[in-house]
Structures are given as structure tokens and as C-alpha cells.
């Protein structure tokens, strides 16, 4: 019904979605650049991500997968392999 749709507005529901696709979806909701490193783009993830709360969504990604979120600035964020900093 209508109420169900309102509930899901602003949420991205992932069912074994490619991480690259999820990041691209979240990117649509925000100014600036949100990118996914090619080395982790094929990882699969399931869950419900609050697209309007990007920081929370990215925290969920980091908790669920071997990735880290690198914020080069408020407008340039990359999801990278955990060991990319080394």
C-alpha cells in the first residue's frame, strides 16, 4: 500500500547487491562524489541502508564487509579495501 512505499522511501534495500551498485545508488542522494574502489565493487551485500543518512549507511558497509570509508573531503568519499591505507 501507500504507507509501505512511504516507509521504504529513502531506504535502499539490497539483496546480494554488488557493492559498486549500492554505492552508486547511495551516491544519487547526496552532493559530491561517492565512489567504490574497483577491488571491492564485486563484493555482495544484503541489508537495508538509509540513503538519506549516508554516514550511517557507510558505517553499516564498513561493519558488514572488509572495506573502509575514506573521506578525502566532505564531498569526496571512497569505499576502499581495508588494506588500501598500507
Amino acid at each position: 500500500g501507500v504507507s509501505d512505499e512511504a516507509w521504504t522511501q529513502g531506504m535502499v534495500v539490497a539483496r546480494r547487491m554488488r557493492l559498486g551498485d549500492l554505492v552508486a545508488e547511495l551516491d544519487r542522494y547526496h552532493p559530491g562524489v561517492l565512489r567504490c574502489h574497483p577491488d571491492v565493487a564485486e563484493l555482495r551485500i544484503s541489508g537495508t541502508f538509509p540513503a538519506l543518512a549516508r554516514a550511517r549507511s557507510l558505517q553499516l558497509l564498513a561493519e558488514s564487509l572488509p572495506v573502509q570509508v575514506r573521506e578525502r573531503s566532505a564531498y569526496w568519499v571512497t569505499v576502499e579495501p581495508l588494506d588500501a591505507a598500507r
Side-chain angles (χ1 to χ4, degrees):
V2 174
S3 60
D4 293 341
E5 287 172 25
W7 179 250
T8 57
Q9 270 188 341
M11 303 296 282
V12 178
V13 179
R15 292 188 181 87
R16 288 196 46 74
M17 186 184 279
R18 287 177 64 253
L19 180 57
D21 293 340
L22 177 61
V23 169
E25 190 68 25
L26 293 174
D27 183 48
R28 293 173 44 212
Y29 288 84
H30 290 273
V33 176
L34 176 61
R35 290 290 175 263
C36 185
H37 192 286
D39 287 355
V40 294
E42 295 301 324
L43 291 175
R44 297 286 171 165
I45 189 154
S46 297
T48 304
F49 297 88
L52 302 178
R54 185 172 75 175
R56 178 69 188 128
S57 287
L58 294 175
Q59 182 185 348
L60 288 167
L61 290 181
E63 290 170 0
S64 306
L65 295 172
V67 298
Q68 64 184 353
V69 177
R70 168 101 30 115
E71 297 197 23
R72 290 172 169 77
S73 77
Y75 296 102
W76 186 275
V77 180
T78 326
V79 178
E80 302 180 340
L82 256 185
D83 56 1
R86 280 189 242 144

